[in-house]
Amino acid sequence: MTTLSNLQPDTAKQRLKVPANAPFSAIVKKGQTIRIVDSFGQQAVDTLFYNAADTDERYSAHDTVAAQGAAYITTGSKVLSNEGNLMLTVTADTVGYHDTSAGACSVESNTVRFGHHTRFMHACRENFVLEAAKYGMDKRDIVPNINFFMNVPIEPDGNLAIVDGLSEPGNYVELKAEMDVICLISNCPQVNNPCNGFNPTPIEILIWDREPA
């Protein structure tokens, strides 16, 4: 379900650009809102969330999908942790469709899917590991992630397809933090399938403070 936000960019506390292929992280405090903007369109943004006070609690694709009975997230979706707690709520979404199933690309999966010549291409899992290290985590803490803006339809035989993205330049998704969270992002560097239109591009991150009481 597509829904516009009433938050204005010039009132954001933080406004940052994330280059193509790059990792990013930020702590989003309870009550703050984070907006992820697909600046140029058709750019997958792999994202993970952790409880900032206890990183053993983190985003759970299983709990999130099971609780809402839907394979994709959009406005109104509740992002749940592995402890069943509410981490964030999707408050606005101009695309209406975000993947929870396809996971993050890695050098290993690139090799299996696309051939040995892709073995040393940079990938989202490596971006996640780099950012996670800043918070005392390592590769064992990287779990199945959300793929914002990534178009992953479920085919009639139950398989997942990765096809051209639906997002257009300036489309965004917005989430309100229901607890203090660490947000890890990999601005996906994949060039072997159409998730980024075969051309990774920059994104923008905006964070607003808590709404006035």
Side-chain angles (χ1 to χ4, degrees), residues 5 13 34 42 50 57 71-72 94 110-111 131 139 150 199:
S5 171
K13 178 181 180 181
I34 181 169
Q42 293 191 337
Y50 299 81
E57 182 175 16
Y72 308 103
T94 62
N110 280 344
T111 302
E131 285 302 303
K139 62 183 179 181
M150 190 167 162
N199 179 36

Side-chain angles (χ1 to χ4, degrees), residues 49 59-82 84-91 100 146 148 174-178:
F49 297 104
Y59 165 71
S60 168
H62 171 78
D63 289 282
T64 298
V65 169
Q68 65 187 346
Y72 308 103
I73 63 173
T74 185
T75 306
S77 295
K78 308 295 185 182
V79 176
L80 300 185
S81 75
N82 57 330
N85 294 321
L86 178 59
M87 302 188 79
L88 306 101
T89 302
V90 181
T91 53
T100 61
I146 300 171
F148 289 115
E174 206 168 85
L175 303 98
K176 180 179 178 181
E178 308 292 353

Side-chain angles (χ1 to χ4, degrees), residues 10-213:
D10 60 359
T11 65
K13 178 181 180 181
Q14 298 181 59
R15 189 170 185 178
L16 306 163
K17 294 187 184 299
V18 182
N21 309 320
F24 170 84
S25 63
I27 294 178
V28 186
K29 297 288 189 179
K30 181 178 180 180
Q32 290 185 323
T33 295
I34 181 169
R35 179 188 293 178
I36 303 169
V37 182
D38 186 358
S39 301
F40 294 89
Q42 293 191 337
Q43 173 61 39
V45 182
D46 294 41
T47 307
L48 284 170
F49 297 104
Y50 299 81
N51 181 337
D54 178 9
T55 56
D56 285 341
E57 182 175 16
R58 66 279 304 267
Y59 165 71
S60 168
H62 171 78
D63 289 282
T64 298
V65 169
Q68 65 187 346
Y72 308 103
I73 63 173
T74 185
T75 306
S77 295
K78 308 295 185 182
V79 176
L80 300 185
S81 75
N82 57 330
E83 296 184 11
N85 294 321
L86 178 59
M87 302 188 79
L88 306 101
T89 302
V90 181
T91 53
D93 176 13
T94 62
V95 180
Y97 174 100
H98 303 276
D99 169 63
T100 61
S101 304
C105 59
S106 66
V107 294
E108 294 83 6
S109 65
N110 280 344
T111 302
V112 170
R113 293 174 180 169
F114 309 115
H116 286 282
H117 67 284
T118 68
R119 176 67 176 83
F120 298 102
M121 288 183 174
H122 194 53
C124 284
R125 186 170 176 83
E126 286 62 51
N127 275 344
F128 280 145
V129 170
L130 286 170
E131 285 302 303
K134 297 178 181 179
Y135 304 93
M137 296 183 285
D138 61 29
K139 62 183 179 181
R140 292 170 295 184
D141 295 295
I142 307 306
V143 297
N145 57 284
I146 300 171
N147 290 307
F148 289 115
F149 310 114
M150 190 167 162
N151 190 8
V152 186
I154 301 173
E155 298 182 324
D157 61 4
N159 288 325
L160 298 176
I162 298 175
V163 298
D164 291 343
L166 300 174
S167 57
E168 298 178 350
N171 277 164
Y172 60 82
V173 60
E174 206 168 85
L175 303 98
K176 180 179 178 181
E178 308 292 353
M179 63 169 69
D180 292 356
V181 297
I182 299 167
C183 173
L184 296 189
I185 282 176
S186 171
N187 193 18
C188 183
Q190 183 61 258
V191 295
N192 298 292
N193 68 44
C195 70
N196 300 320
F198 300 102
N199 179 36
T201 52
I203 61 170
E204 189 173 25
I205 305 294
L206 295 89
I207 299 175
W208 284 265
D209 264 335
R210 299 169 180 82
E211 296 177 2

